[in-house]
């Protein structure tokens, strides 16, 4: 059994990757401080996998605790999901983002170095491409930041690259996610944003359950086929399986790489609204509004490198993403809130 540490393993992407890792025969251990996740997810993961979940409450900033945890479990690799990801909040609270995302990554790598674990899978984002000059976006595109959040991801990529250059025994896989959506098909785990969702799919899902009156479509005058923004939505289970493929490659070859995890196709806001209406069986009301400041017209991946390097490609359709989101949202309209009480 190969033990893997998942920082932020109780969060949206971490929890789905936990399930994929167990299916692939790995033994994941969750480290989470629950600052942007919920302890209720642990019982749900036990339901899905039929096994106890190894989990520790704590912060990646605690070098002594993390290095002891790595040693105690003979951890072979770390998947680092413990980052904040709200663009608007990062503009309002930049130090919060620099501390948790950048300092958190530095401290985690210090703990790994101290404990002798030198294989890292890092959660980066398509946000590192800024406003891309063209689509589809390849990994060779220049990096640019448009927010402190984006800056934090680019900074971490640089920090990892510097370590790889300095220390030949370190290996890292940097995964640039496009737009993760959807939920595990059981409907037991999914995205559970605190407060008003910033992202499209959770907002649409809350309109569909009646929690919110209508969707605000941020701009219908973009240079796209229907005027609304185009994004590369990727099912979170495809993304989770992408992590397993990246981890396999990292542990088998010992070679480092940076790769896009997307589907390679873009969907507009109105396409998502239509697909969601089909999934939930009723109309999703929306209003066309002004553009959201900082948004870009279109963003989708060139997904060729992931296929070449990892033999991985996304399998699930937009209809699957909407059906699985709807199952999760309709069964858990308040996310993990009720699980917390139980
Ligand atoms: C956003 C972040 C990005 C981050 C990603 C995480 C911004 C500017 N970018 O990307 O850095 O990595 O989330 O998933 O916040 N939309 C609406 N109404 C809504 C919400 C969204 O019309 O209520 C539209 C947006 O204008 C956009 C599309 O839906 O065209 C997707 O938006 P969103 O889900 O917020 O993702 P990104 O903007 O791509």
């Amino acid at each position: 059994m190969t033990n893997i540490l998942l920082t932020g393993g109780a969060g949206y992407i971490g929890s789905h990757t936990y399930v994929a890792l167990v299916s692939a025969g790995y033994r994941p251990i969750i480290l989470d401080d629950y600052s942007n996740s919920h302890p209720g997810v642990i019982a749900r993961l036990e339901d899905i996998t039929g096994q106890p979940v190894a989990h520790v409450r704590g912060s990646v900033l605690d070098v002594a605790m993390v290095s002891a945890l790595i040693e105690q479990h003979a951890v072979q690799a770390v998947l680092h999901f413990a980052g904040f990801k709200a663009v608007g909040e990062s503009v309002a609270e930049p130090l919060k983002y620099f501390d948790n995302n950048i300092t958190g990554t530095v401290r985690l790598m210090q703990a790994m170095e101290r404990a002798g674990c030198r294989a890292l899978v890092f959660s980066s984002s398509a946000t590192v491409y800024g406003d891309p000059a063209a689509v589809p976006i390849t990994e060779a595109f220049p990096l640019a930041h448009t927010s402190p959040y984006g800056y934090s991801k680019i900074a971490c990529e640089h920090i990892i690259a510097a370590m790889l250059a300095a220390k030949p025994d370190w290996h890292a896989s940097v995964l640039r996610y496009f737009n993760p959506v959807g939920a595990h098909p059981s409907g037991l785990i999914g995205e559970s944003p605190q407060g008003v969702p910033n992202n499209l799919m959770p907002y649409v899902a809350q309109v569909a359950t009646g929690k919110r009156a209508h969707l605000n479509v941020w701009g219908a005058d973009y240079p796209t086929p229907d005027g609304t923004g185009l994004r590369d939505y990727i099912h979170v289970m495809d993304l989770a399986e992408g992590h397993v493929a990246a981890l396999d490659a990292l542990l088998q070859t010992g070679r480092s790489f940076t790769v896009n995890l997307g589907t390679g196709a873009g969907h507009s806001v109105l396409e998502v609204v239509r697909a969601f209406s089909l999934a939930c069986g009723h109309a999703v009301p929306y209003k066309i509004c002004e553009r959201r400041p900082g948004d870009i017209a279109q963003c989708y991946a060139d997904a060729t490198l992931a296929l070449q390097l990892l033999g991985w490609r996304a399998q699930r359709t937009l209809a699957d993403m909407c059906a699985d989101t709807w199952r999760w949202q309709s069964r858990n309209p308040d996310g993990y809130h009720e699980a917390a009480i139980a």
Side-chain angles (χ1 to χ4, degrees):
M1 276 295 214
T2 310
N3 291 350
I4 306 296
L5 183 65
L6 269 60
T7 74
Y12 174 45
I13 298 167
S15 59
H16 289 79
T17 303
Y18 178 93
V19 175
L21 286 167
V22 171
S23 300
Y26 286 103
R27 201 157 67 187
I29 298 137
I30 290 176
L31 171 68
D32 207 299
D33 65 2
Y34 302 108
S35 55
N36 191 30
S37 61
H38 206 288
V41 77
I42 301 295
R44 304 292 185 92
L45 290 174
E46 291 182 339
D47 279 358
I48 293 172
T49 60
Q51 296 171 18
V53 170
H55 60 105
V56 174
R57 183 189 284 261
S59 165
V60 290
L61 292 164
D62 186 344
V63 177
M65 182 274 293
V66 176
S67 64
L69 189 63
I70 292 171
E71 278 176 9
Q72 183 196 338
H73 291 276
V75 167
Q76 300 295 299
V78 178
L79 272 60
H80 182 31
F81 298 101
F84 294 141
K85 58 158 195 167
V87 174
E89 185 190 43
S90 81
V91 175
E93 298 291 342
L95 296 180
K96 177 177 172 179
Y97 276 68
F98 297 151
D99 187 41
N100 188 59
N101 291 12
I102 303 177
T103 310
T105 300
V106 171
R107 296 268 179 86
L108 172 66
M109 292 176 80
Q110 286 171 336
M112 291 171 66
E113 178 75 3
R114 191 187 285 186
C117 170
R118 300 189 174 99
L120 175 67
V121 177
F122 177 70
S123 300
S124 191
S125 164
T127 197
V128 300
Y129 298 116
D131 189 353
V135 280
I137 301 168
T138 74
E139 291 80 356
F141 273 37
L143 304 189
H145 57 87
T146 53
S147 68
Y149 163 68
Y151 179 87
S152 76
K153 290 294 175 190
I154 294 176
C156 289
E157 289 202 10
H158 284 311
I159 290 163
I160 292 165
M163 274 302 275
L164 295 177
K167 313 271 177 190
D169 51 350
W170 269 82
H171 315 295
S173 156
V174 172
L175 305 179
R176 293 179 178 157
Y177 310 159
F178 280 68
N179 289 58
V181 297
H184 188 266
S186 64
L188 286 169
I189 57 171
E191 189 170 13
S192 183
Q194 293 171 358
V196 182
N198 295 307
N199 295 122
L200 178 65
M201 190 64 90
Y203 203 104
V204 168
Q206 292 192 4
V207 174
T209 61
K211 194 168 179 174
R212 305 201 183 273
H214 64 267
L215 170 74
N216 298 307
V217 175
W218 304 129
D221 58 350
Y222 283 106
T224 58
D226 67 15
T228 65
L230 219 64
R231 295 290 185 277
D232 189 338
Y233 298 98
I234 174 170
H235 195 295
V236 66
M237 288 311 299
D238 276 325
L239 192 69
E241 289 160 11
H243 285 75
V244 174
L247 180 63
D248 288 345
L250 195 67
L251 294 178
Q252 281 159 21
T253 68
R255 246 180 277 133
S256 298
F257 52 90
T258 297
V259 76
N260 288 338
L261 292 184
T263 66
H267 291 291
S268 75
V269 176
L270 295 181
E271 276 181 274
V272 171
V273 168
R274 273 195 297 275
F276 207 96
S277 300
L278 286 174
C280 73
H282 57 81
V284 172
Y286 65 86
K287 287 186 183 159
I288 305 289
C289 306
E290 293 295 305
R291 293 180 182 193
R292 181 170 66 177
D295 267 0
I296 56 179
Q298 43 185 348
C299 174
Y300 56 93
D302 182 321
T304 321
L305 187 64
L307 184 59
Q308 283 171 358
L309 221 60
L310 311 177
W312 169 91
R313 66 147 60 104
Q315 309 283 343
R316 294 155 178 94
T317 63
L318 181 61
D320 298 328
M321 301 176 210
C322 294
D324 290 334
T325 303
W326 176 239
R327 192 175 304 103
W328 156 252
Q329 189 71 39
S330 54
R331 292 185 188 177
N332 307 271
D334 297 317
Y336 293 112
H337 187 64
E338 286 168 31
I341 296 163

